[in-house]
Amino acid sequence: MAHSLDLADPLAHARGRFRLPDGIVYADGNSLGALPAAAPAHLAHVVESEWGQGLIRSWNDAGWIDAPAQLGARIAPLIGAHADEVIVADSVSVNLFKLLAAGLTPRRRTIVTLAGDFPTDSYIAQGLANLLGNVTLREIPLADIVTALDDQTAILLLTHVHYQSGARHDMAALTAPAHAAGALTLWDLSHSAGAIAVDLNAANADLAVGCGYKFLNGGPGAPAWLFVARRHQKRLENPLSGWMGHARPFAFEPGYTPAPGMARWLAGTMPILALAALNAGLATFDGLAPAAIEAKAAALTTHFIDRVAHIPGITLATPRDPAARGAHVALAHDHAQPLTQALIAHRVIPDFRTPNLIRFGFAPLTSRFADVETAAATLAHLIETQAWTNPAYHQSRKVT
């Protein structure tokens, strides 16, 4: 069955845009995307020609100075944004700090977020609250999120796809009550962009952030990006007022004047080599429609869920409805950590999330239905043979 599904897959050709090791089932694309085949040569060109020969002239001649905006424009179609609403900069954590601080007002000083959401998001929000001293962070269960929104709420901060369960929020359905309460929405799309279709403007979203190293295939530690809807761009200001966000960065004026548009969200000098790697990652999406990418993610994850549903000791921790999940499937097992190590030893690479989850991330551009079946069959075999009892899989080590 997997063979026929792979033959019929309209995105099967996209796998050829990557370098993947032989004999490996890579089910961790939700943590680090695979290497784009064009990345090594592209990086070599930037290093040897643009840097080595062009030297400082390449800021202009090779367009380095414009790279954050140009790459933001390439991300925009994947998230339902206009090209002038997205810019590449810094990390997700730094961009969260910028947008959270910018969204506060003298009267509205409360940030509402989901209890148990991705830790760095709440860490940054709490750090901002501690720094300013008059900001409140409220971490609320999902069932109570809407009723928690009031006239003190400045921002509703949510990850679109939950990092553990893979559950997906209805963006429009949560943005509407936030606006009714007079609050902004800030969406973390780190587990969404490049894996499922996102339409920020259709949902009337205000702000968003996302990383470049997961489904966007930009390489380890790739630069992040942020979105600010056009209607907010003149009003909101970057609290990290670095020189690259200045209206005239090379005038070296004594006072700060924010640049117009998204350029104001830059801070320090941009990392050109990292941007070059991200450029190669984004090129892997050329000609691919977000709806087709989401359709394959749904088909892969459904196929996997069907194959693991009856494995003893396994509990599905991800919604069965494809519209209610992203591109990874979380399975609960009492011995999840040693099982993850056993899977890796058997050349199937998922990852572990405390306390008892194994996450299988099926990046739509690189994953095959044959990979899904191999992953499910290997998991079933390891559970049947009680592989977690092997002491080698209980050693203390970093889990991918």
Side-chain angles (χ1 to χ4, degrees):
M1 181 178 182
H3 180 67
S4 60
L5 289 171
D6 284 326
L7 287 176
D9 174 17
L11 297 187
H13 66 285
R15 185 178 170 91
R17 299 177 179 183
F18 296 86
R19 289 187 186 175
L20 288 158
D22 292 335
I24 290 288
V25 172
Y26 190 54
D28 206 4
N30 56 315
S31 283
L32 176 65
L35 173 69
H42 180 58
L43 282 167
H45 170 77
V46 174
V47 170
E48 295 171 6
S49 179
E50 295 180 6
W51 179 14
Q53 300 299 315
L55 298 169
I56 200 167
R57 294 169 296 174
S58 288
W59 282 103
N60 294 312
D61 294 350
W64 289 354
I65 198 71
D66 300 317
Q70 290 175 347
L71 295 181
R74 297 190 74 171
I75 293 169
L78 298 175
I79 58 173
H82 299 295
D84 60 356
E85 293 178 314
V86 186
I87 198 158
V88 172
D90 302 311
S91 67
V92 170
S93 298
V94 173
N95 290 335
L96 281 169
F97 182 92
K98 294 174 188 174
L99 294 178
L100 287 170
L104 297 172
T105 71
R107 189 172 67 84
R108 292 178 176 267
R109 311 295 289 177
T110 298
I111 300 167
V112 173
T113 192
L114 176 67
D117 224 338
F118 190 64
T120 199
D121 294 40
S122 59
Y123 295 163
I124 292 296
Q126 188 59 64
L128 178 64
N130 293 342
L131 177 67
L132 298 179
N134 61 348
V135 173
T136 300
L137 173 64
R138 299 185 64 197
E139 298 181 85
I140 307 294
L142 181 60
D144 301 322
I145 284 282
V146 172
T147 57
L149 302 170
D150 58 25
D151 61 3
Q152 302 298 307
T153 306
I155 299 171
L156 172 61
L157 167 63
L158 293 171
T159 57
H160 185 221
V161 171
H162 195 270
Y163 80 105
Q164 286 188 314
S165 69
R168 186 196 324 187
H169 291 304
D170 184 328
M171 184 180 290
L174 286 168
T175 295
H179 287 176
L184 300 176
T185 56
L186 171 49
W187 293 93
D188 184 342
L189 303 181
S190 295
H191 283 276
S192 303
I196 59 174
V198 178
D199 199 335
L200 289 168
N201 281 322
N204 204 24
D206 303 296
L207 311 168
V209 298
C211 71
Y213 55 83
K214 298 182 188 291
F215 293 109
L216 296 186
N217 311 309
W225 49 269
L226 65 154
F227 157 90
V228 179
R230 283 174 175 171
R231 63 187 180 275
H232 298 305
Q233 289 184 11
K234 290 183 179 179
R235 179 177 65 86
L236 298 181
E237 295 189 3
N238 183 359
L240 301 181
S241 47
W243 77 305
M244 278 295 171
H246 194 285
R248 295 168 295 278
F250 297 100
F252 302 108
E253 298 169 353
Y256 185 80
T257 303
M262 292 301 294
R264 69 178 53 193
W265 298 100
L266 299 174
T269 305
M270 55 284 288
I272 295 303
L273 299 183
L275 291 175
L278 178 58
N279 187 37
L282 294 174
T284 63
F285 291 89
D286 287 351
L288 306 181
I293 293 170
E294 176 168 334
K296 184 174 178 183
L300 289 166
T301 51
T302 296
H303 196 64
F304 183 69
I305 289 170
D306 289 344
R307 292 298 180 274
V308 301
H310 303 297
I311 296 177
I314 286 290
T315 302
L316 179 66
T318 297
R320 284 187 173 272
D321 178 4
R325 65 174 183 258
H328 74 260
V329 175
L331 303 178
H333 190 276
D334 290 343
H335 303 280
Q337 185 164 357
L339 265 176
T340 300
Q341 292 299 328
L343 283 160
I344 293 169
H346 284 74
R347 304 179 71 78
V348 174
I349 304 179
D351 67 6
F352 166 76
R353 285 296 176 265
T354 186
N356 66 338
L357 294 179
I358 310 173
R359 296 190 314 173
F360 293 81
F362 297 110
L365 273 59
T366 54
S367 298
R368 301 170 299 192
F369 290 92
D371 298 325
V372 167
E373 292 204 350
T374 298
T378 304
L379 177 64
H381 169 73
L382 293 174
I383 289 177
E384 181 182 353
T385 59
Q386 296 191 335
W388 65 81
T389 61
N390 186 332
Y393 302 139
H394 288 264
Q395 296 175 5
S396 177
R397 70 182 77 178
K398 184 181 184 297
V399 179
T400 59

